[in-house]
Amino acid sequence: ADYTQTLELRAPARATPLSLLAAAERAASDDLRAVDVARKHVEAAARARAGAYDYASSRAGGVVVNATAPSTLKGKARGFLKLEPGPSMVISSRAVNAARCWGFAGDQGRVLIRLSRPAAPEYFVLEHAPKAHGARRLEAAAPREFSVTGFAADGATTYDLGAFSYDVDGPAAQRFPAKFLPRRPRPVVAAVEVSVASNQGAAATKLCRFRVH
Protein backbone atom coordinates (compact mmCIF):
# COMPACT_ATOMS: atom_id res chain seq x y z
CA ALA A 1 0.00 0.00 0.00
CA ASP A 2 1.12 3.52 -0.78
CA TYR A 3 1.06 6.05 1.99
CA THR A 4 1.09 9.74 1.25
CA GLN A 5 2.19 12.16 3.93
CA THR A 6 1.01 15.70 3.67
CA LEU A 7 3.38 18.33 5.07
CA GLU A 8 2.03 21.62 6.20
CA LEU A 9 4.45 24.43 5.66
CA ARG A 10 3.91 27.15 8.17
CA ALA A 11 5.69 30.45 8.39
CA PRO A 12 7.66 30.82 11.61
CA ALA A 13 5.97 32.87 14.26
CA ARG A 14 7.17 36.43 14.46
CA ALA A 15 9.22 37.23 17.55
CA THR A 16 7.57 39.75 19.83
CA PRO A 17 9.52 42.75 21.13
CA LEU A 18 9.51 41.14 24.59
CA SER A 19 11.02 37.92 23.31
CA LEU A 20 13.69 39.87 21.43
CA LEU A 21 14.50 41.79 24.61
CA ALA A 22 14.76 38.58 26.61
CA ALA A 23 17.06 37.06 23.98
CA ALA A 24 19.26 40.17 24.04
CA GLU A 25 19.46 40.04 27.83
CA ARG A 26 20.44 36.37 27.73
CA ALA A 27 23.13 37.10 25.13
CA ALA A 28 24.49 39.99 27.20
CA SER A 29 24.53 37.80 30.29
CA ASP A 30 26.41 35.11 28.39
CA ASP A 31 28.92 37.70 27.17
CA LEU A 32 29.52 38.95 30.73
CA ARG A 33 30.05 35.40 31.95
CA ALA A 34 32.50 34.80 29.11
CA VAL A 35 34.43 37.98 29.97
CA ASP A 36 34.52 36.98 33.64
CA VAL A 37 35.81 33.52 32.77
CA ALA A 38 38.47 35.03 30.50
CA ARG A 39 39.54 37.46 33.25
CA LYS A 40 39.88 34.61 35.74
CA HIS A 41 42.03 32.69 33.26
CA VAL A 42 44.29 35.73 32.80
CA GLU A 43 44.62 36.15 36.57
CA ALA A 44 45.38 32.46 37.00
CA ALA A 45 48.11 32.69 34.35
CA ALA A 46 49.58 35.74 36.10
CA ARG A 47 49.65 33.87 39.41
CA ALA A 48 51.38 30.94 37.75
CA ARG A 49 54.05 33.23 36.31
CA ALA A 50 54.68 35.44 39.33
CA GLY A 51 53.51 33.21 42.16
CA ALA A 52 50.57 35.51 42.93
CA TYR A 53 48.42 38.10 41.21
CA ASP A 54 50.04 41.56 41.22
CA TYR A 55 47.39 44.19 41.94
CA ALA A 56 49.81 47.05 41.25
CA SER A 57 51.00 45.90 37.83
CA SER A 58 50.29 48.30 34.97
CA ARG A 59 49.52 45.26 32.82
CA ALA A 60 46.73 44.33 35.26
CA GLY A 61 45.38 47.89 35.39
CA GLY A 62 47.41 49.52 38.15
CA VAL A 63 48.20 53.23 37.73
CA VAL A 64 50.76 55.57 39.29
CA VAL A 65 48.61 58.47 40.47
CA ASN A 66 51.28 60.72 41.95
CA ALA A 67 54.98 60.78 42.77
CA THR A 68 56.88 63.16 45.04
CA ALA A 69 60.66 63.23 44.76
CA PRO A 70 63.36 65.66 43.59
CA SER A 71 64.65 65.04 40.09
CA THR A 72 68.33 64.61 39.33
CA LEU A 73 69.92 67.19 37.03
CA LYS A 74 70.34 64.49 34.42
CA GLY A 75 66.76 63.39 34.98
CA LYS A 76 65.40 66.92 34.43
CA ALA A 77 67.07 67.22 31.03
CA ARG A 78 66.22 63.69 29.94
CA GLY A 79 62.71 64.00 31.36
CA PHE A 80 62.11 67.09 29.24
CA LEU A 81 63.06 65.04 26.19
CA LYS A 82 60.90 62.10 27.39
CA LEU A 83 64.00 59.93 27.67
CA GLU A 84 64.16 59.49 31.44
CA PRO A 85 62.03 56.65 32.90
CA GLY A 86 59.22 58.14 34.98
CA PRO A 87 57.59 56.84 38.17
CA SER A 88 55.15 54.73 36.14
CA MET A 89 58.04 52.32 35.54
CA VAL A 90 57.77 51.26 39.20
CA ILE A 91 54.80 49.04 38.25
CA SER A 92 56.11 47.93 34.86
CA SER A 93 57.69 44.53 34.25
CA ARG A 94 60.39 46.28 32.19
CA ALA A 95 61.66 48.24 35.19
CA VAL A 96 63.98 45.51 36.49
CA ASN A 97 66.40 46.62 33.79
CA ALA A 98 68.72 49.18 35.43
CA ALA A 99 68.26 51.63 32.55
CA ARG A 100 64.51 51.65 33.08
CA CYS A 101 64.32 52.21 36.85
CA TRP A 102 62.77 55.44 38.16
CA GLY A 103 65.54 57.61 39.61
CA PHE A 104 65.36 60.65 41.90
CA ALA A 105 67.86 62.83 43.74
CA GLY A 106 68.59 62.13 47.39
CA ASP A 107 67.26 59.19 49.36
CA GLN A 108 63.63 60.15 50.03
CA GLY A 109 60.68 59.88 47.68
CA ARG A 110 57.09 58.70 47.50
CA VAL A 111 54.91 57.11 44.86
CA LEU A 112 51.14 56.58 45.05
CA ILE A 113 49.76 53.58 43.15
CA ARG A 114 46.09 52.91 42.43
CA LEU A 115 45.54 49.17 42.36
CA SER A 116 43.84 47.36 39.51
CA ARG A 117 40.97 46.74 41.95
CA PRO A 118 40.50 46.95 45.74
CA ALA A 119 42.40 44.21 47.55
CA ALA A 120 43.58 43.09 50.98
CA PRO A 121 47.38 42.85 50.51
CA GLU A 122 49.16 39.90 52.08
CA TYR A 123 52.68 40.87 51.09
CA PHE A 124 54.73 43.21 48.90
CA VAL A 125 57.73 42.60 46.64
CA LEU A 126 60.40 45.23 46.13
CA GLU A 127 62.72 44.37 43.25
CA HIS A 128 65.96 46.12 42.36
CA ALA A 129 68.07 45.56 39.25
CA PRO A 130 70.20 42.39 39.54
CA LYS A 131 73.87 42.97 40.43
CA ALA A 132 74.89 41.74 37.00
CA HIS A 133 73.14 44.78 35.49
CA GLY A 134 75.47 47.39 36.94
CA ALA A 135 78.37 48.40 39.15
CA ARG A 136 78.43 48.95 42.92
CA ARG A 137 76.99 52.44 42.50
CA LEU A 138 73.74 50.89 41.23
CA GLU A 139 73.53 48.73 44.35
CA ALA A 140 74.12 51.83 46.50
CA ALA A 141 71.16 53.51 44.79
CA ALA A 142 68.76 50.78 45.93
CA PRO A 143 66.20 51.76 48.60
CA ARG A 144 66.99 50.74 52.19
CA GLU A 145 64.22 51.77 54.60
CA PHE A 146 60.73 52.16 53.18
CA SER A 147 57.12 51.99 54.34
CA VAL A 148 53.75 51.27 52.76
CA THR A 149 50.47 53.06 53.50
CA GLY A 150 47.12 51.79 52.22
CA PHE A 151 44.19 54.00 51.20
CA ALA A 152 40.60 52.78 51.32
CA ALA A 153 38.24 53.43 48.41
CA ASP A 154 36.92 56.58 50.13
CA GLY A 155 40.38 58.13 49.78
CA ALA A 156 40.35 59.31 53.41
CA THR A 157 40.78 56.15 55.48
CA THR A 158 44.43 55.07 55.68
CA TYR A 159 46.15 51.94 56.99
CA ASP A 160 49.73 51.44 58.11
CA LEU A 161 50.77 48.36 56.12
CA GLY A 162 54.29 48.20 57.51
CA ALA A 163 57.84 49.56 57.54
CA PHE A 164 60.54 47.45 55.91
CA SER A 165 64.22 47.27 55.03
CA TYR A 166 65.63 46.12 51.69
CA ASP A 167 68.84 44.06 51.98
CA VAL A 168 71.16 45.01 49.12
CA ASP A 169 73.16 41.81 49.69
CA GLY A 170 70.06 39.66 49.32
CA PRO A 171 68.19 38.56 46.18
CA ALA A 172 67.08 41.17 43.65
CA ALA A 173 63.38 40.57 44.46
CA GLN A 174 62.56 40.56 48.17
CA ARG A 175 59.23 39.77 49.83
CA PHE A 176 57.77 41.73 52.77
CA PRO A 177 54.62 40.64 54.68
CA ALA A 178 51.93 43.30 55.05
CA LYS A 179 51.28 44.41 58.61
CA PHE A 180 47.86 43.58 60.05
CA LEU A 181 46.25 43.13 63.47
CA PRO A 182 45.73 39.50 64.59
CA ARG A 183 42.16 38.24 64.72
CA ARG A 184 41.03 41.12 62.53
CA PRO A 185 40.37 41.00 58.78
CA ARG A 186 43.05 42.43 56.55
CA PRO A 187 42.15 45.96 55.42
CA VAL A 188 40.89 46.31 51.86
CA VAL A 189 42.64 49.14 50.05
CA ALA A 190 42.22 50.76 46.65
CA ALA A 191 45.66 52.38 46.56
CA VAL A 192 49.05 52.14 48.27
CA GLU A 193 51.77 54.72 48.79
CA VAL A 194 55.40 53.59 48.92
CA SER A 195 57.58 55.99 50.91
CA VAL A 196 61.36 55.57 50.62
CA ALA A 197 63.15 56.94 53.70
CA SER A 198 66.75 56.03 52.85
CA ASN A 199 68.95 54.26 50.32
CA GLN A 200 72.21 52.27 50.47
CA GLY A 201 74.46 55.36 50.48
CA ALA A 202 74.26 56.88 46.98
CA ALA A 203 73.51 60.50 46.11
CA ALA A 204 70.43 59.36 44.17
CA THR A 205 67.92 56.54 44.48
CA LYS A 206 66.63 54.03 41.93
CA LEU A 207 63.18 52.55 42.59
CA CYS A 208 62.83 49.74 40.08
CA ARG A 209 59.78 47.56 40.69
CA PHE A 210 57.11 47.30 43.39
CA ARG A 211 54.44 44.59 43.48
CA VAL A 212 51.34 44.11 45.62
CA HIS A 213 50.11 40.56 46.24
Side-chain angles (χ1 to χ4, degrees):
D2 295 331
Y3 294 91
T4 303
Q5 184 178 20
T6 303
L7 300 177
E8 290 188 14
L9 300 177
R10 296 181 181 178
R14 290 185 178 179
T16 65
L18 288 178
S19 63
L20 291 174
L21 179 60
E25 289 177 346
R26 284 195 299 271
S29 178
D30 290 342
D31 287 343
L32 289 175
R33 279 195 293 270
V35 169
D36 187 56
V37 169
R39 178 180 59 80
K40 289 179 179 178
H41 279 298
V42 170
E43 292 178 1
R47 291 190 188 96
R49 288 193 303 271
Y53 183 77
D54 180 9
Y55 294 94
S57 169
S58 57
R59 183 174 295 180
V63 177
V64 169
V65 178
N66 188 34
T68 305
S71 298
T72 62
L73 292 176
K74 178 181 178 182
K76 287 180 180 179
R78 289 174 60 83
F80 179 77
L81 297 174
K82 304 298 183 183
L83 297 175
E84 185 74 5
S88 61
M89 297 305 293
V90 171
I91 56 175
S92 169
S93 59
R94 297 177 297 167
V96 294
N97 183 319
R100 292 184 175 274
C101 296
W102 175 47
F104 53 88
D107 59 0
Q108 297 183 6
R110 296 180 297 172
V111 59
L112 179 63
I113 304 166
R114 187 179 69 223
L115 305 181
S116 58
R117 64 173 186 272
E122 294 184 11
Y123 64 93
F124 311 106
V125 173
L126 180 62
E127 185 173 3
H128 194 60
K131 294 181 180 180
H133 286 198
R136 177 64 190 174
R137 60 186 177 84
L138 177 60
E139 296 175 31
R144 183 189 297 273
E145 305 295 331
F146 70 97
S147 61
V148 182
T149 302
F151 290 81
D154 61 12
T157 306
T158 61
Y159 302 96
D160 174 13
L161 298 180
F164 313 101
S165 181
Y166 183 86
D167 181 7
V168 73
D169 294 319
Q174 298 178 24
R175 173 173 167 165
F176 305 91
K179 173 184 174 181
F180 74 103
L181 297 176
R183 295 187 296 277
R184 290 191 182 182
R186 293 181 182 273
V188 175
V189 299
V192 297
E193 184 177 67
V194 184
S195 299
V196 177
S198 64
N199 65 16
Q200 307 291 333
T205 303
K206 290 277 189 177
L207 186 55
C208 292
R209 179 77 190 275
F210 186 78
R211 303 202 295 261
V212 179
H213 299 293

